[in-house]
Amino acid sequence: MSKKIAGPEIERLVQLLSRLPGLGPRSARKAALALIKRRVELLVPLASALADAVDKIVVCPDCGNVDTLSPCSICRDERRDRSLIVVVEEVGDLWALERASVINASYHVLGGHLSPLDGIGPDRLNIARLVERASAAHVTEVLLALNATVEGQSTAHYLTDQLSSCDVAVSRLAQGVPMGGELDYLDEGTLAAAIKSRKRM
Amino acid sequence: MSKKIAGPEIERLVQLLSRLPGLGPRSARKAALALIKRRVELLVPLASALADAVDKIVVCPDCGNVDTLSPCSICRDERRDRSLIVVVEEVGDLWALERASVINASYHVLGGHLSPLDGIGPDRLNIARLVERASAAHVTEVLLALNATVEGQSTAHYLTDQLSSCDVAVSRLAQGVPMGGELDYLDEGTLAAAIKSRKRM
């Protein structure tokens, strides 16, 4: 807010809320007011949830996931297939795969993608630990589940190089028409990939 | 989230964040991840700002504003024109007027508008205290700065009735073409009001 309109505590709350992704100054003010108005149902529990997060949430030293356990509950889960490591850019991608319940493997969170223009080189990503994990005898496959963006794909190529010394198969996600996708609305790259990788009926 | 994808602390944080206005389940997950990723700059300060809010923010018993002081800093401000009470629906409206620095009066926050269909009658709004305040000898005008919606305007008419016994002038905001407004995009009601209240050049 350009002009101070409330006490410093409220100003600070609005200013911090406006730094959350998806909230601008206006919606941060709305969120702050909603919190103040709904003290018992929202403000008090959110304050305690954040205090809990400060105290308890840690980054897993093995895979880079966030959890209240270290190593994280996925790394501890004995029912997971430890021979397959699914590499993702961000924890949000791991959550998306877990929500979809499509794979029961271990994960590795890079913490982003290579982006030389933004000064993000290999040393800024969680790559050394990935190579170390992929070198373990029980690991047979590394699936690079990176975004199908230019940055995601160049990161995938870099990782493929780095993993060449490990005795693992390196794979990537299939590209093609998404479920419910209408051809008329798809870009040429997707159509080209879908045709190139066409399957027999 | 339909499927549990992280520890209960993270789930609870996401679930609470998704109840803020402007955040859905997806953006709440993004916000939670941003908080966890930016622990020092965002998570810790926001946790402490919310704890502060829980401890310190109160509703002003006079005007219904929210502040860390009681009565609020506007009610305490000796430089304000106490003869004029500006009535608004919500604290956000008070903030909007204060940001615009267009008036230096005291306020009265109703806490909403009359909405019989939602069960919001006069007893649910901060009206009795307004009539009491408006009856004070030093008050000469009550400006009903309510939204130009059907509910806001019917609330304004109800308040005008209620205030008829007080010795005050009751006014409302002017209606007309907003600054930068293009006639082609304005509704008929606004155009009619702008023509009816036309001013000499």
Side-chain angles (χ1 to χ4, degrees), chain A residues 5 7 13-14 30 35 48 60 64 81-82 85 90-91 108 125 127 132-133 147 151 155 167 172 183 196:
Chain A
I5 41 110
L13 179 59
V14 171
K30 276 198 177 299
L35 283 165
S48 108
C60 176
D81 177 0
R82 305 289 184 98
I85 299 176
E90 299 284 1
V91 175
H108 194 86
L125 301 180
I127 294 178
E132 197 180 309
R133 290 180 68 197
N147 289 335
E151 295 85 359
T155 306
D167 185 24
R172 65 165 178 77
L183 297 199
K196 199 174 155 209

Side-chain angles (χ1 to χ4, degrees), chain B residues 80-134:
Chain B
R80 298 246 166 193
D81 178 0
R82 305 289 184 98
S83 69
L84 171 57
I85 299 175
V86 179
V87 181
V88 293
E89 294 184 23
E90 298 284 0
V91 175
D93 303 329
L94 183 161
W95 287 1
L97 289 169
E98 286 293 294
R99 276 201 306 282
S101 301
V102 284
I103 197 155
N104 188 42
S106 55
Y107 287 95
H108 194 85
V109 180
L110 290 178
H113 49 240
L114 294 176
S115 181
L117 288 178
D118 301 318
I120 300 179
D123 51 310
R124 293 277 295 275
L125 301 179
N126 189 10
I127 294 177
R129 180 79 185 115
L130 171 63
V131 175
E132 196 181 311
R133 290 180 69 198

Side-chain angles (χ1 to χ4, degrees), chain A residues 25-86:
Chain A
R26 191 185 155 77
S27 44
R29 285 197 296 272
K30 276 198 177 299
L33 277 175
L35 283 165
I36 294 167
K37 248 190 136 165
R38 298 167 63 195
R39 182 187 167 86
V40 176
E41 321 93 272
L42 203 48
L43 176 59
V44 173
L46 186 59
S48 108
L50 283 171
D52 258 17
V54 169
D55 289 346
K56 300 186 188 161
I57 293 176
V58 287
V59 173
C60 176
D62 286 341
C63 74
N65 187 16
V66 293
D67 201 346
T68 45
L69 299 172
S70 175
C72 75
S73 41
I74 293 179
C75 284
R76 283 163 186 254
D77 186 349
E78 295 293 333
R79 289 159 305 177
R80 299 245 166 194
D81 177 0
R82 305 289 184 98
S83 69
L84 171 57
I85 299 176
V86 180

